[in-house]
Amino acid sequence: EAGVAQSPRYKIIEKRQSVAFWCNPISGHATLYWYQQILGQGPKLLIQFQNNGVVDDSQLPKDRFSAERLKGVDSTLKIQPAKLEDSAVYLCASSLGGVSTEAFFGQGTRLTVV
Amino acid sequence: DQQVKQNSPSLSVQEGRISILNCDYTNSMFDYFLWYKKYPAEGPTFLISISSIKDKNEDGRFTVFLNKSAKHLSLHIVPSQPGDSAVYFCAATYTGANSKLTFGKGITLSVRP
């Protein structure tokens, strides 16, 4: 069974530029998550989708971050414009749904903003 | 406000000995807890979980203990192996609509050969 796929693996951009990350979840997984992991911290949930609907985006900085999950499968996360403090690993995860189901993570995209 | 706390940033143990990784939580609503393991340049992978209706769950060399009154859980690895060297994240969630995982900061475990 294929895992969660993310691209790109690494990205370096200048501040004020824009960037987009892509995620393809495990087939059949209804729930998709985007997490931000800053160095030395645990993953922090940015947004959670159930199929193609947003169920939690309370910690998403909506003035610069946006995410969509068209057709309830793939998802993209965009940052525009980027700030230095956005440097982090962006992790996508998916799960079948339900509290007793663990989430499966992709390898992440390491973003460096200079 | 950190709802899941892993207060020790690192732990070093000898191969073959026991590793004990601790985690505390503050939110009484949490009723399901998970441990994830993360190698460098990889995403976290699920290791073991426990529901609040239990106080122990075992899977091979890994055992998780839950003390609800103390809001404390621990992961025991016996015996520890060099391949266990990684960052371990404790995570918690609760039963209900739109539940989400809240992670601790992680503990870096080093198992010395």
Side-chain angles (χ1 to χ4, degrees), chain B residues 52-107:
Chain B
S52 61
I53 63 173
K54 296 184 175 181
D55 54 16
K56 176 183 175 181
N57 188 27
E58 191 171 353
D59 183 3
R61 297 186 297 112
F62 302 91
T63 303
V64 57
F65 296 91
L66 176 62
N67 182 334
K68 284 179 291 184
S69 61
K71 294 190 178 67
H72 176 83
L73 61 154
S74 60
L75 174 67
H76 293 210
I77 306 173
V78 184
S80 301
Q81 299 174 353
D84 296 329
S85 297
V87 178
Y88 290 80
F89 291 102
C90 173
T93 186
Y94 54 88
T95 306
N98 306 330
S99 61
K100 63 185 180 184
L101 290 175
T102 299
F103 284 84
K105 289 186 176 182
I107 300 172

Side-chain angles (χ1 to χ4, degrees), chain B residues 29-65:
Chain B
M29 297 295 290
F30 289 146
D31 59 8
Y32 195 77
F33 306 88
L34 307 90
W35 284 92
Y36 281 82
K37 176 179 180 180
K38 185 182 182 304
Y39 291 118
E42 294 185 12
T45 56
F46 170 75
L47 189 58
I48 192 169
S49 63
I50 188 167
S51 166
S52 61
I53 63 173
K54 296 184 175 181
D55 54 16
K56 176 183 175 181
N57 188 27
E58 191 171 353
D59 183 3
R61 297 186 297 112
F62 302 91
T63 303
V64 57
F65 296 91

Side-chain angles (χ1 to χ4, degrees), chain A:
Chain A
E1 179 185 80
V4 177
Q6 288 188 249
S7 68
R9 288 294 311 276
Y10 306 93
K11 191 74 177 179
I12 300 175
I13 61 172
E14 294 183 350
K15 60 183 179 183
R16 291 187 289 275
Q17 287 188 320
S18 62
V19 65
F21 313 128
W22 173 83
C23 173
N24 181 240
I26 293 173
S27 177
H29 280 193
T31 307
L32 185 147
Y33 316 80
W34 281 102
Y35 284 86
Q36 179 192 57
Q37 186 183 3
I38 293 172
L39 188 65
Q41 304 286 324
K44 182 185 84 171
L45 181 70
L46 292 176
I47 188 167
Q48 178 177 343
F49 292 94
Q50 184 76 15
N51 296 308
N52 62 348
V54 175
V55 297
D56 188 342
D57 63 357
S58 57
Q59 298 194 87
L60 186 74
K62 299 181 186 62
D63 58 333
R64 299 184 300 106
F65 285 65
S66 64
E68 59 181 10
R69 191 183 183 195
L70 299 176
K71 301 180 181 178
V73 182
D74 292 7
S75 177
T76 56
L77 176 69
K78 296 179 182 178
I79 308 175
Q80 182 179 13
K83 293 185 176 181
L84 296 177
E85 58 261 35
D86 298 332
S87 295
V89 175
Y90 290 85
L91 294 161
C92 179
S94 69
S95 70
L96 284 170
V99 67
S100 60
T101 305
E102 68 271 12
F104 294 84
F105 284 81
Q107 289 182 302
T109 297
R110 180 174 294 278
L111 173 68
T112 302
V113 182
V114 297

